[in-house]
Amino acid sequence: MPDGTLIQAPISCCDDEPGLLPVVEARARLLRGATPVPEEEALPLAAALGRVLATVPRSGRSLPPFDQSAMDGYALHAADLVPGAAPRILRRIAAGDPPGPAIGPGEAVRVLTGAPVPPGAAAVVMEEHVVLRGGTVAPRRLPRPGANIRRLGEDLAAGDVLLPPGTRLDARHLALLAAAGVGHVPVRRRVRVALLSNGNELGVAIQDSNRPMLAALLARPELALTDLGVLPDDPAALTAALGEAARTHDLILASGGVSGSDADHLPGALHRAGGEVEVLKLAQKPGKPLAHGRLGSARCLFLPGNPLAALVGFLTLGRPLLARLSGSAEETGPAPLAALAARGFLRRPGREEFLPARLVGQDAASGLPLVEPSGAFGSARLVPLAAADGLLWVPAATEQVRPGDALRFHPFAASFGLA
């Protein structure tokens, strides 16, 4: 069982701030009016991995395309599916061979896996279940009618819908499309994303870690990224850059410049460029400050400057927005795993929280993974994040997590696709 160690988290005076917006409401505001990019293109299957289906592809053939043997064995006529039958073996059919003429009572054909079964075959008996004597085959275990035969079209009929629009194509889908005779697949064009960091301190007193992190998260087949670099705290320069980016991009994603100080100019720059902007304070930790809006047809999402806050904001809000823009059906993402707390800790209630956490074992009684925070708390700390296996979600009302408490855990590789 988990031990009784208690970790004391730093208590923020702002966690009980009134008027904080629940993350689910912020997501609804962000997605309101957002629609998939309208253009589409037809790609060969070799270029379609990770792209999002725009329209319904239909099968060009039936699967299987003919009655075929499911295993190595002998095709039998219905009259020989009785005790004591010993039909004569006529020939052998391998995969790729024609089925040949029909068989009748007292006749059998040796068939290999994937081979067409001859007309008149009622079942295939496995080769392990027969005795061969002088050119005849005697089943030791009689198959049922239809056994070990894959019937024409039992998996898919010609003209059937293969996949719904919004499917993000992976290896399974490409296999199905190829088998169904689809050479080119209709997908939405890539979502064009402009990425920037904002702050005079970046590259001088502090190295910019957010842009490389977010660029890695945006390295997906359905997205096309433009790196605008680091922009200074200059209202005029920010206004010009946002206006220019909005003309050729679907989303402008930025970090820094949204916490509300007199040095934070991104929301004002978006307004001066002629856009709409809303500054939010979220009931989320880390990542309370956030701004979003639009400029022309481009959506804008401005994340906090601290690395963990930027990551959490992107995963909880940026990913759903990008899914909507790309036409993907994956807006909610994979469900978190059930887990148990390996150690306890205290926290101030008021905001739902995401903590970098690591897997430290498995509970013997339940079989659930045991997780614990991977280091000291803090939205600017990168070492605990790099040491983590995922993010631990803690409900807003929770004041204390005790050893053995049920938790929700988002593994980076499974839940957020970081690996």
Side-chain angles (χ1 to χ4, degrees), residues 155-236:
D155 195 17
L156 193 68
D160 278 356
V161 171
L162 294 171
L163 298 164
T167 300
R168 188 171 182 271
L169 297 171
D170 62 28
R172 301 166 300 153
H173 307 127
L174 297 182
L176 175 61
L177 291 164
V182 176
H184 286 72
V185 62
V187 299
R188 293 197 181 272
R189 72 154 170 83
R190 288 185 170 96
V191 177
R192 303 178 186 121
V193 183
L195 175 65
L196 66 96
S197 290
N198 173 223
N200 286 342
E201 73 281 8
L202 297 178
V204 181
I206 298 174
Q207 292 299 314
D208 180 16
S209 60
N210 284 358
R211 220 169 80 259
M213 175 180 69
L214 293 171
L217 288 164
L218 293 166
R220 294 166 66 94
E222 74 272 29
L223 307 177
L225 177 63
T226 302
D227 188 350
L228 301 184
V230 176
L231 299 185
D233 293 320
D234 181 327

Side-chain angles (χ1 to χ4, degrees), residues 240-294:
L242 293 177
E244 180 66 24
R247 284 192 279 273
T248 54
H249 294 85
D250 307 297
L251 174 66
I252 302 172
L253 181 67
S255 66
V258 295
S259 64
S261 75
D262 57 6
D264 294 323
H265 302 296
L266 265 176
L270 178 56
H271 179 72
R272 283 189 298 274
E276 305 168 4
V277 62
E278 182 180 31
V279 179
L280 304 176
K281 292 184 177 180
L282 304 183
Q284 174 174 275
K285 182 178 181 179
K288 181 177 70 172
L290 181 134
H292 75 104
R294 63 186 307 159

Side-chain angles (χ1 to χ4, degrees), residues 313-330:
F314 178 82
L315 295 175
T316 58
L317 297 171
R319 277 273 176 90
L321 178 58
L322 283 167
R324 175 69 60 87
L325 295 176
S326 70
S328 172
E330 299 177 350

Side-chain angles (χ1 to χ4, degrees), residues 62 91 110 133 195 205 241 244 270 321 327 348 358 367 372 408 415:
S62 296
R91 61 186 183 276
R110 168 76 164 145
R133 295 192 189 95
L195 175 65
E244 180 66 24
L270 178 56
L321 178 58
R348 190 180 188 93
R358 61 187 171 215
E372 67 178 15
R408 297 182 193 174
S415 290

